[in-house]
Amino acid sequence: MSKQLYDRHRRLRSSTSMRAMVRETKLTTDDLIYPMFIVEGENIKNEVVSMPGVYQVSLDYLTEELNEIVSLGIRSVLLFGIPKEKDELGTQAYCETGIVQEALRKIKKEFPELITVADTCLCEYTSHGHCGIIHEGDVLNDESLELIVQTAVSQAKAGADIIAPSNMMDGFVSAIRRGLDEAGFENIPIMSYAVKYASAFYGPFRDAAGSAPQFGDRKTYQMDPANRLEALREAESDINEGADFLIVKPALSYMDIMREVKDQFNAPVVAYNVSGEYAMVKAAAQNGWIDEKQIVLEKLTSMKRAGADIIITYAAKDVARWLKD
């Protein structure tokens, strides 16, 4: 009796070593950027209630935090600032002695090998919580760009290796590129929040950064979650304006978009594994409903498989420990 002929796919799954040999997508610490929340003041290390394991830290705790990050093999950090004072124009965003600017100087002095990515937006610094100048309830586009450019240049002067504008004003990449070049920072790359949806997954971040809008929402400048082609138009505009990286945010619910961005544009794609995605996994793990390590590693690997070259994630420290193990 002849044997039945069919494909033997299981041959390449027969052992741990065999599976590792043929693995198509691999996650490493080089892929990770760790977001940090730097707060003005002293002796502050506040855990974010909705993001267990994530802290707001003052400058005097920054060295301790960065020692841990570097020891884990993480090479890049993304900085968000939380000022003591806010105003309608978000002046602390572009102040020479602003909290992010001070953090950048400290990091470049103590940890020069770390890549510092500066989030470039106004929402953490404005009293109304929006990403630009408000006039009669509307967020003004071109007038806001002027302040965003000032913010980017001040961050570059303080030592930022990468400028990451997240404000979603039309023309923000072009304006920042021009501003950086005119200030002598033509070699500083722009990591654009090119595809940023008006998502419900951002809630815990707004707790961490104190950046919730005081009125209305951000749907007039962030993207409709139902739209696919709009994402490609946004990414194309940013590439044409001089973006060096393209961020897709959030990551988990938008992997179809990530794949299309990767396929259509010749630039590194960055997945932002956002606060809501992080918080859901943490909550489920703390209730004993899931295996946190396996879920997180599967999730981040799937982002790489979908096209991400880099992943911004609040789980970076946990992931680095698991990968070492």
Side-chain angles (χ1 to χ4, degrees), residues 10-26:
R10 291 179 58 188
R11 290 172 182 153
L12 301 185
R13 304 173 193 152
S14 59
S15 68
T16 300
S17 296
M18 182 68 77
R19 291 190 295 273
M21 178 184 289
V22 300
R23 187 161 294 137
E24 300 170 28
T25 305
K26 296 185 179 181

Side-chain angles (χ1 to χ4, degrees), residues 198-267:
S199 172
F201 282 99
Y202 302 152
F205 172 89
R206 291 169 184 170
D207 293 340
S211 62
Q214 298 303 300
F215 65 90
D217 54 43
R218 296 178 177 146
K219 292 181 180 179
T220 64
Y221 48 99
Q222 294 179 0
M223 288 175 44
D224 185 338
N227 291 354
R228 178 181 68 86
L229 296 178
E230 182 184 4
L232 302 179
R233 293 196 298 270
E234 289 275 5
E236 183 177 20
S237 292
D238 286 5
I239 286 291
N240 291 339
E241 292 175 20
D244 300 283
F245 304 80
L246 299 173
I247 296 176
V248 176
K249 180 182 181 183
L252 195 59
S253 293
Y254 299 88
M255 286 204 233
D256 58 325
I257 305 300
M258 199 182 307
R259 180 73 264 166
E260 290 201 69
V261 169
K262 181 64 176 177
D263 288 345
Q264 295 203 27
F265 303 101
N266 187 23

Side-chain angles (χ1 to χ4, degrees), residues 1-6 8:
M1 180 174 166
S2 62
K3 290 186 178 179
Q4 184 176 352
L5 296 178
Y6 45 77
R8 295 281 183 178

